[in-house]
Amino acid sequence: MDEKKEARPIRRVVIAGGGTAGWMAAAALSKTLGRVLQITLVESEEIGTVGVGEATIPTLVTFHRLLEINEQAFMAATQATIKLGIAFENWRDRDQHYIHSFGTTGKDHWTAGFQHFWLEGRRRGLARDYGDYCFELRAAQENRFAHLPNGGINYAFHLDAGRYARFLRQMSEQHGAVRIEGKIRQVCTREDDGFIEALELEDGRRIEGDLFIDCTGFRALLIGQALGVGFEDWSHWLFCDSAFAVQTASVKPPIPYTRSIAGEAGWQWRIPLQRRAGNGIVFSSRFIDNDSARATLMGSIEGEPLIEPRLLRFRPGQRHKVWEKNCVALGLASGFLEPLESTNIHLIQRGIIRLLQCFPAVLEQAEIDEYNRQAEAEITHIRDFIILHYHVTHRRDTAFWRAAAEMSIPDSLQHRIDLFRETAKVFRVPNELFAENSWIQVMLGQGLEPKSWHPVTGLMPDPELRGFLESIRGGVERGLRQLPVHQRYLETYCPAA
Ligand code: FAD
């Protein structure tokens, strides 16, 4: 056994930062390894958190199950509502909308996915909207929800980010994590190998550790500033670099989906919580100035603003490595993709689960390399999916949309687009977040039309194909009748509503 490694077992974990990333990490580590690790989290109230990040995807339900979080308690504490998907408004073209839902559309045959049968049905005039064959999508449109047995409905949450951090903090402290309030002044590294040995606070306190988790947000104090890990910039594909965020009082019952409304040089989000809504505009400062973006947002929100709009600046991209020496970066410190598909909290959760699965007794470079390889594959796949929304569009009405349509895109994405356009096929590589159904919903929604589809569909006579499509649609509509209105369900499921 290597003497150097034996001398440095991982017993003390220091988490720098107490936003969503820091407290998710603290909750998961303390719940699973709290009895063998000393876990300390340092955060600064004066600096605060980014305070946005309120739309999630279904993997958060799984994360909560792993941590044995009581869903009703969580929903009551965070003012959460249900999310069944995202409505993309004006993305394909002005006044054209579609929903990317969390459900599965139709039923696949072993030879070909449902989209092939739907395309053939549409050609023969036998098929209705693609979304009519998806239960979650129709439930979103009808504003309905209930938990169903055997995972019968796939859902996520809209949540209040500040309340979520407080909820996770309480859970982490119950499992032994220790919170330290203070501002980090310096990250101290060892002379021999450059590993981090301690965080020094402004009041002179020193927090020593064996493994450090950088959750300091865009500042990336440890991974970026102290360890000098560089950043791969993706702004040539993703032009948006700024956002204004504002909270408003609710003016109507919450709908069970996020709205994403494309504008002249970016898009706006609407996230309905139980008593308030999160609103924002994501934009490219190359194509629209701050004042115009702010005015566009404030001119279109519904309900009284509860705070002044806050300007946030960001750079899309990813750290060259998210684990370097004895420092793992999570959340905004590790990289950033605009919240178009609500994937950042998911990436935090993936980073935490991966860390837990390969939790090192001592640091092994091979494990660190594998962690970095997986993290890179994950975010690259999501990056491609987000670029798809901008690049495949009929919009040419502003310089922003023309530039997005004309840019060259990553080869990996070009391949998916070409394959779908020529053959209607989509393949999922194992461990990718977005399954075939997501790609198909967005590709069709953005107006990408396949030129051909599987010949097996041509063998079905009209009555058989009509019967097949109608049996699926009938099942979806029958299922919908079991579901109460979303707001009613929230009132009984988490009575704080
Ligand atoms: P932060 O919330 O910024 O937390 C950083 C922490 O580090 C704070 O506690 C701060 O006090 C501490 N800190 C920093 N410096 C110091 C210091 N010197 N000393 C002590 N402490 C320090 N994600 C989604 O999944 N869904 C969404 O809908 C979504 N919407 C978004 C919208 C916008 C406009 C943006 C910018 C992001 C959005 N995200 C979304 C991303 C999401 O907000 C983040 O992934 C999430 O909030 C995690 O942030 P964080 O914890 O990494 O950073």
Coordinates of all heavy atoms in Angstrom, one line a residue, residues 17-21 43-44 47-50 52-55 182-184 215-217 219 221 243 269 312 331-332 336 339 342 344-345 348, ligand 1:
G17 N -20.0 26.7 1.0 CA -21.1 27.3 0.3 C -22.4 26.6 0.8 O -22.4 25.4 0.9
G18 N -23.4 27.4 1.0 CA -24.7 26.8 1.5 C -25.9 27.2 0.6 O -27.0 27.6 1.2
G19 N -25.7 27.2 -0.7 CA -26.9 27.3 -1.6 C -27.5 25.9 -1.8 O -27.3 25.0 -1.0
T20 N -28.3 25.8 -2.8 CA -28.9 24.5 -3.1 C -27.8 23.4 -3.2 O -28.0 22.3 -2.7 CB -29.7 24.6 -4.4 OG1 -30.6 25.7 -4.3 CG2 -30.5 23.3 -4.7
A21 N -26.7 23.7 -3.9 CA -25.7 22.7 -4.0 C -25.1 22.3 -2.7 O -25.0 21.1 -2.4 CB -24.6 23.2 -5.0
E43 N -20.9 28.9 5.2 CA -21.6 29.7 4.3 C -21.6 31.2 4.9 O -21.4 31.4 6.1 CB -23.0 29.2 4.0 CG -23.9 29.3 5.2 CD -25.4 28.9 4.9 OE1 -25.9 29.3 3.8 OE2 -26.1 28.3 5.7
S44 N -21.9 32.1 4.0 CA -21.9 33.5 4.4 C -23.2 34.1 4.1 O -23.6 34.2 2.9 CB -20.8 34.2 3.7 OG -21.1 35.6 3.7
I47 N -22.9 37.2 1.9 CA -22.8 37.0 0.4 C -24.2 36.5 -0.1 O -24.6 36.9 -1.2 CB -21.7 36.0 0.1 CG1 -20.4 36.6 0.5 CG2 -21.7 35.6 -1.4 CD1 -19.1 35.7 0.3
G48 N -24.8 35.6 0.6 CA -26.1 35.0 0.2 C -26.0 34.0 -0.9 O -24.9 33.6 -1.3
T49 N -27.1 33.6 -1.4 CA -27.1 32.6 -2.5 C -27.7 33.2 -3.8 O -28.2 34.3 -3.8 CB -28.1 31.4 -2.1 OG1 -29.4 31.9 -2.0 CG2 -27.7 30.8 -0.8
V50 N -27.6 32.4 -4.9 CA -28.1 33.0 -6.1 C -29.6 33.2 -6.1 O -30.2 34.0 -6.8 CB -27.6 32.1 -7.3 CG1 -28.4 30.8 -7.3 CG2 -27.7 32.8 -8.6
V52 N -32.2 31.6 -7.2 CA -33.1 31.2 -8.2 C -32.9 29.6 -8.3 O -32.3 29.0 -7.4 CB -32.8 31.8 -9.6 CG1 -33.4 33.2 -9.7 CG2 -31.3 31.8 -9.9
G53 N -33.5 29.0 -9.3 CA -33.4 27.5 -9.4 C -34.5 26.9 -8.8 O -34.4 26.3 -7.7
E54 N -35.7 27.0 -9.4 CA -36.9 26.6 -8.7 C -37.7 25.6 -9.5 O -38.8 25.2 -9.1 CB -37.8 27.9 -8.4 CG -36.9 28.9 -7.7 CD -37.7 29.9 -6.8 OE1 -38.7 30.4 -7.4 OE2 -37.3 30.1 -5.7
A55 N -37.3 25.3 -10.7 CA -37.9 24.3 -11.5 C -37.0 23.0 -11.6 O -35.8 23.2 -11.8 CB -38.2 24.8 -12.9
G182 N -19.7 32.3 8.2 CA -18.4 33.1 8.0 C -18.0 33.3 6.6 O -18.5 32.5 5.7
K183 N -17.2 34.2 6.4 CA -16.7 34.5 5.0 C -15.4 33.9 4.8 O -14.5 34.1 5.6 CB -16.6 36.0 4.8 CG -17.3 36.5 3.6 CD -17.0 38.0 3.5 CE -18.0 38.7 2.6 NZ -17.7 40.2 2.6
I184 N -15.2 33.1 3.7 CA -13.9 32.5 3.4 C -13.0 33.6 2.9 O -13.3 34.3 1.9 CB -14.0 31.4 2.4 CG1 -15.0 30.3 3.0 CG2 -12.7 30.8 2.1 CD1 -15.6 29.4 1.9
C215 N -19.0 24.5 -3.3 CA -20.3 24.9 -3.7 C -20.5 26.4 -3.5 O -21.5 26.9 -3.1 CB -21.3 24.2 -2.8 SG -21.3 22.4 -2.9
T216 N -19.4 27.1 -3.9 CA -19.4 28.6 -3.7 C -20.0 29.4 -4.9 O -19.8 30.6 -5.0 CB -18.0 29.1 -3.4 OG1 -17.2 28.8 -4.6 CG2 -17.4 28.6 -2.2
G217 N -20.8 28.7 -5.7 CA -21.5 29.4 -6.8 C -20.5 29.8 -7.9 O -19.5 29.3 -8.1
R219 N -18.6 32.1 -8.1 CA -17.2 32.5 -7.6 C -16.2 31.3 -7.8 O -15.0 31.6 -8.0 CB -17.2 32.9 -6.1 CG -17.9 34.2 -5.9 CD -17.9 34.5 -4.4 NE -18.6 35.8 -4.1 CZ -19.9 36.0 -4.1 NH1 -20.7 35.0 -4.4 NH2 -20.3 37.2 -3.9
L221 N -14.6 29.5 -5.6 CA -13.4 29.9 -4.8 C -12.3 28.9 -4.8 O -11.1 29.2 -4.8 CB -13.8 30.2 -3.4 CG -14.5 31.5 -3.1 CD1 -14.7 31.6 -1.6 CD2 -13.7 32.7 -3.6
A243 N -29.5 37.3 -16.9 CA -30.9 37.1 -16.6 C -31.4 38.1 -15.6 O -30.6 38.6 -14.8 CB -31.1 35.7 -16.0
W269 N -39.1 32.8 -18.1 CA -39.7 31.7 -17.4 C -40.8 32.1 -16.5 O -40.8 33.3 -16.0 CB -38.6 30.9 -16.6 CG -38.1 31.5 -15.3 CD1 -38.7 31.5 -14.1 CD2 -36.9 32.2 -15.1 NE1 -38.0 32.1 -13.2 CE2 -36.8 32.5 -13.8 CE3 -35.8 32.5 -15.9 CZ2 -35.7 33.2 -13.2 CZ3 -34.7 33.2 -15.4 CH2 -34.7 33.6 -14.0
L312 N -28.5 38.9 -13.0 CA -27.5 37.8 -12.8 C -26.7 37.7 -14.1 O -27.3 37.7 -15.2 CB -28.2 36.5 -12.5 CG -29.0 36.5 -11.2 CD1 -30.2 35.5 -11.3 CD2 -28.2 36.2 -10.0
G331 N -22.7 22.3 -8.5 CA -23.5 23.4 -8.7 C -22.8 24.4 -9.6 O -22.0 24.1 -10.5
L332 N -23.1 25.7 -9.4 CA -22.6 26.8 -10.3 C -21.1 26.8 -10.3 O -20.5 27.3 -11.3 CB -23.2 28.1 -9.8 CG -24.7 28.2 -9.8 CD1 -25.2 29.5 -9.2 CD2 -25.3 28.0 -11.2
F336 N -22.2 25.8 -15.9 CA -23.5 26.4 -15.9 C -24.2 26.2 -17.3 O -23.6 26.5 -18.3 CB -23.5 27.9 -15.6 CG -24.9 28.5 -15.6 CD1 -25.8 28.1 -14.6 CD2 -25.3 29.3 -16.6 CE1 -27.1 28.7 -14.5 CE2 -26.6 29.8 -16.6 CZ -27.5 29.5 -15.5
P339 N -31.2 27.7 -17.6 CA -32.2 26.8 -17.1 C -33.4 26.4 -18.0 O -34.5 26.1 -17.5 CB -32.7 27.6 -15.9 CG -32.5 29.0 -16.3 CD -31.3 29.0 -17.1
S342 N -34.3 23.0 -17.0 CA -34.3 22.8 -15.5 C -33.3 21.7 -15.1 O -33.7 20.9 -14.3 CB -35.7 22.5 -15.0 OG -36.7 23.2 -15.6
N344 N -30.0 22.1 -13.9 CA -28.8 22.3 -13.0 C -28.9 21.6 -11.6 O -27.9 21.0 -11.2 CB -28.6 23.8 -12.8 CG -28.1 24.5 -14.0 OD1 -27.0 24.2 -14.5 ND2 -28.9 25.4 -14.6
I345 N -30.1 21.6 -11.1 CA -30.3 20.9 -9.8 C -30.1 19.4 -10.0 O -29.5 18.7 -9.2 CB -31.6 21.2 -9.2 CG1 -31.7 22.7 -8.8 CG2 -31.9 20.3 -7.9 CD1 -33.0 23.2 -8.2
I348 N -26.4 18.7 -10.0 CA -25.9 18.7 -8.6 C -26.1 17.3 -8.0 O -25.2 16.7 -7.4 CB -26.6 19.8 -7.8 CG1 -26.3 21.2 -8.3 CG2 -26.2 19.6 -6.3 CD1 -27.2 22.3 -7.6
Ligands
FAD1 P1 -25.3 29.7 -4.8 O1 -26.7 29.6 -4.6 O2 -24.7 30.9 -5.4 O3 -24.6 29.4 -3.4 C1 -23.2 29.8 -3.2 C2 -22.9 29.7 -1.7 O4 -21.6 29.9 -1.5 C3 -23.7 30.7 -0.9 O5 -24.1 30.1 0.3 C4 -22.7 31.8 -0.6 O6 -22.9 32.4 0.6 C5 -21.4 30.9 -0.5 N1 -20.2 31.6 -0.6 C6 -19.7 32.2 -1.8 N2 -18.5 32.8 -1.5 C7 -18.3 32.6 -0.2 C8 -17.2 33.1 0.7 N3 -16.2 33.8 0.3 N4 -17.3 32.7 2.0 C9 -18.4 32.0 2.5 N5 -19.4 31.5 1.7 C10 -19.3 31.9 0.4 N6 -31.5 25.3 -11.8 C11 -32.5 24.4 -11.9 O7 -32.3 23.2 -11.8 N7 -33.7 24.9 -12.3 C12 -34.0 26.2 -12.6 O8 -35.1 26.5 -12.8 C13 -32.9 27.1 -12.5 N8 -33.1 28.4 -12.8 C14 -32.0 29.2 -12.8 C15 -32.1 30.6 -13.3 C16 -31.0 31.4 -13.3 C17 -31.2 32.8 -13.9 C18 -29.8 30.9 -12.9 C19 -28.6 31.8 -12.9 C20 -29.6 29.7 -12.4 C21 -30.7 28.8 -12.4 N9 -30.6 27.5 -12.0 C22 -31.6 26.6 -12.1 C23 -29.3 27.0 -11.4 C24 -29.5 26.9 -9.9 O9 -29.9 28.2 -9.4 C25 -28.2 26.5 -9.2 O10 -27.8 25.3 -9.8 C26 -28.5 26.2 -7.8 O11 -29.2 27.3 -7.1 C27 -27.2 26.0 -7.0 O12 -26.5 27.1 -6.8 P2 -25.2 27.0 -5.9 O13 -25.5 26.4 -4.6 O14 -24.1 26.3 -6.7 O15 -24.7 28.5 -5.8

